[in-house]
Amino acid sequence: MGGADARIVRNTTLLILALVAMRLVAAAVTPITFDEAYYWMWSKNLAGGYYDHPPMVAYVIRAGTMIAGDTELGVRLVSVLLALPMSYAVYRSAAILFGGARVAATSAILLNVTMMASVGTLIVTPDAPLLVASSFVLFFLAKVLETGRGVWWLAVGAAVGAALLSKYTAMFFGAGILIWLACVPKLRRWFLSPWPYLGGLVALALFSPVILWNADHQWVSFAKQLGRAKIEDFRPVFIAELIPTQIAFATPLVFILGAMGLHALTWQRAGARASRVLIEAMFWTIVAYFVWHSLHARVEANWFAPVYPPFVVAAAAAANLAQWKPRARRLADFCLRWAAPVGIVMFAALIVQANTGWLSGYRRDATVRSVGVGWRELAAGIEAMRARYGATCVLAQDYGTTGWLAFYLPSGTCVVQQNQRIRWVNMREPDPKLLAGKLLYVDELHPDGHPVLDALFAKVTQVAQLQRKRGPLVVETYGVDLLEDAKGDVLDRSPPPEAR
């Protein structure tokens, strides 16, 4: 490695370490989201699968809390640190596919400054480990191309298996790999080799706990996720959300570079054919599915996580390799120069806004309901009510409130979601004695009260109205009801729609 390349590697490493350190600080000071609280409860009851997703997110959280405890930082610690191997995988992928430390460094930096990676590894959802696994899928496929050695297919299988343990979206990697092999003549020999099929067996073996869990639970998780978009639900309005949300998640300048890179790869302006086709196959296969999905149902912005590794490699190729006319060259240079500063500023602004509301003058925004600002104070008020009335358990009506209550109430407090019991099938059922006494019910205020509770309990008394606030903004007002004299089983054990 020459002196210039060594300097690029050193500077890139220092920048990525600084970005990870910034995320760790943000992780420690930002209250967890309701999804994170829900997945944290999964981590206390590890299993081969869950109603919503495969189990990897639970294992990531469990590892972090073993190190830093049941804190905001503990929940997020391992997810944030996984950005380091993710960056290495993307760096090496770009170096193999397109050559040179500059393209590789650009790829790693651009990925880290996207909101998808900076927020996506900070807020722990299944997309966080999926993004990391996707980076290694690309890296190991690049090693197959570079070395021609079949043993690397086992690594590909392991990475795809890890991705499948993160989210079912990873199943599209198989189609992308087949398209790549079929479209590059020199790679078609792998169809006659046992190695890709052995790699497939490795992926299947890693994914088998999820299959077995679903088999034991009426295939409920598969039915829930794979049945999201139905052909009869044709509503193309959702497709209009795709590009704006991805511009935001990629950050505008990285998005422009990525789009330019995909154009350059399509028209053979950068890289060898096998490299170009690999990037496009891994990108467009998943994008094509989500475009189809958006014709029938909403596609959340974070669902595109697995396409970001090939996307930023394409962006780096656009910035450093592609031949452009003067106007396009100036645009690419501008985007490359300012992509990192813009991404860092956007991340910092989001964290400040989520925690304080300053930037919107304390008005509502997209973060206000999902981030648990104000929950620590709210939970203190609920605990005071629980102690005052001698309630033995706290009930909630949705998984998010249940997760927040369990996280912010004193450790060991009985917290149960009254309905949708399939979500908690991996947890030990609450002690019947705890449900037989006085209970507290916590839910947002409803003008018509809670008719379901009136049918389940002889006496329902509202004992408090408590506010969750971010600064002067009232995010939500919760009613706290005292439930007495249950008439029967207080839990709604109706099967989910997927199991009926």
Side-chain angles (χ1 to χ4, degrees), residues 128-191:
L130 175 62
L131 177 60
V132 179
S134 302
S135 302
F136 278 92
V137 172
L138 183 64
F139 172 41
F140 293 141
L141 288 171
K143 291 298 291 184
V144 169
L145 179 62
E146 178 189 39
T147 67
R149 296 179 59 195
V151 70
W152 281 106
W153 282 108
L154 302 183
V156 172
V160 172
L164 285 167
L165 287 173
S166 302
K167 204 168 184 180
Y168 299 128
T169 312
M171 69 178 65
F172 292 103
F173 285 135
I177 292 170
L178 289 175
I179 292 170
W180 178 51
L181 297 180
C183 291
V184 182
K186 72 175 184 178
L187 298 178
R188 292 172 191 163
R189 67 182 181 88
W190 287 116
F191 286 121

Side-chain angles (χ1 to χ4, degrees), residues 242-253:
L242 286 186
I243 293 180
T245 57
Q246 290 314 304
I247 290 174
F249 266 60
T251 70
L253 301 185

